[in-house]
Amino acid sequence: MARYVGPVCKLCRREGMKLYLKGERCYSEKCAYTRRPYPPGQHGQGRIKLSEYAVRLREKQKVRRIYGVLESQFHGYFQEASRRKGRTGEEMLALLERRLDNVVHRLGYAASRSEARQLVRHGHVKVNGKRLDIPSFVVRVGDRVDLTEGAKKFKFVAAAVAGADKRPIASWLDADRGAFSGSVKSTPVREDLNEPEIREQLVVEYYSR
């Protein structure tokens, strides 16, 4: 499957904000956006006035990069959300939040979504007692998510749990970090999805043009 393998710090600089794509590094002074808070490239420090289309495009790209999904996947989430009752933007974010790789990250067992995706793809995550290696699997209310015995011994998992207090805790999840497990208490709450800041209405307007 195609995926982005370039320098992810450039993505933060391009979007003009921290997307927290590299885990603990994003909270340190080594963060590339902290040192160079302007877009990459020869003309990055010049004044750039974005058109209305460009503002909506950048917001769409930002959300897509935060969750690490391809364009076709992301558009699929939008289409699914548009068929549901409720606000399309909030329904789309709820679908993205309930991806298994994102849930593992939100529970604090991976410092970034890319780390969480690797845990899932390598079969180190169980949902309701069964191993699942599909990062895009959408969990439901009542589902239980656990790490395997082998994953509990990984150094990067221990480091992620130790630094989990730096990251916001999702109120719709219940985490037992001592047992490396957690459960889905409710559907995602919009108020929990503001780090980094997301303006989902611009994404809806982009796809509705």
Side-chain angles (χ1 to χ4, degrees):
M1 181 179 176
R3 60 193 175 94
Y4 178 78
V5 294
V8 295
C9 289
K10 282 189 176 182
L11 302 183
C12 297
R13 293 176 59 202
R14 170 55 60 192
E15 304 307 334
M17 65 186 301
K18 288 188 178 185
L19 303 182
Y20 300 98
L21 302 177
K22 295 199 75 172
E24 292 302 312
R25 186 184 180 94
C26 298
Y27 295 93
S28 70
E29 296 179 355
K30 294 182 179 180
C31 174
Y33 181 73
T34 301
R35 293 183 294 169
R36 292 175 289 177
Y38 50 85
Q42 181 179 358
H43 305 291
Q45 297 186 64
R47 291 185 178 181
I48 302 175
K49 184 177 181 180
L50 298 178
S51 64
E52 290 187 7
Y53 169 79
V55 169
R56 288 159 177 74
L57 173 63
R58 290 264 57 88
E59 191 67 23
K60 186 267 294 184
Q61 292 291 78
K62 181 180 77 177
V63 178
R64 191 171 68 79
R65 287 165 173 173
I66 288 172
Y67 290 98
V69 296
L70 298 175
E71 175 60 32
S72 58
Q73 286 179 296
F74 192 71
H75 190 230
Y77 285 119
F78 170 78
Q79 290 179 319
E80 173 64 25
S82 64
R83 290 192 290 267
R84 298 189 173 199
K85 295 181 180 179
R87 296 183 176 181
T88 300
E90 293 184 10
E91 291 292 333
M92 180 184 67
L93 289 182
L95 286 170
L96 290 166
E97 278 291 307
R98 289 191 290 124
R99 282 174 55 99
L100 182 56
D101 54 357
N102 182 73
V103 170
V104 172
H105 168 63
R106 290 288 193 192
L107 288 171
Y109 305 134
S112 65
R113 290 177 179 85
S114 59
E115 273 189 12
R117 188 173 301 112
Q118 185 180 40
L119 275 174
V120 176
R121 289 297 296 165
H122 290 189
H124 297 303
V125 177
K126 295 187 291 184
V127 176
N128 298 327
K130 296 182 180 180
R131 285 184 185 239
L132 199 62
D133 61 358
I134 304 173
S136 61
F137 176 81
V138 178
V139 299
R140 290 180 285 188
V141 176
D143 283 351
R144 184 172 184 81
V145 179
D146 304 276
L147 297 189
T148 61
E149 290 300 320
K152 296 176 183 178
K153 301 175 183 177
F154 293 157
K155 292 182 179 179
F156 76 87
V157 172
V161 172
D165 292 338
K166 297 179 183 178
R167 300 188 291 276
I169 300 175
S171 63
W172 54 280
L173 294 173
D174 186 17
D176 182 357
R177 287 172 180 156
F180 295 92
S181 65
S183 60
V184 183
K185 305 193 293 187
S186 62
T187 55
V189 181
R190 179 63 187 90
E191 288 71 25
D192 284 346
L193 313 181
N194 285 324
E195 187 176 343
E197 182 184 357
I198 292 175
R199 295 178 293 174
E200 68 275 9
Q201 183 57 33
L202 293 179
V203 181
V204 175
E205 292 172 4
Y206 172 84
Y207 281 123
S208 303
R209 70 193 192 281

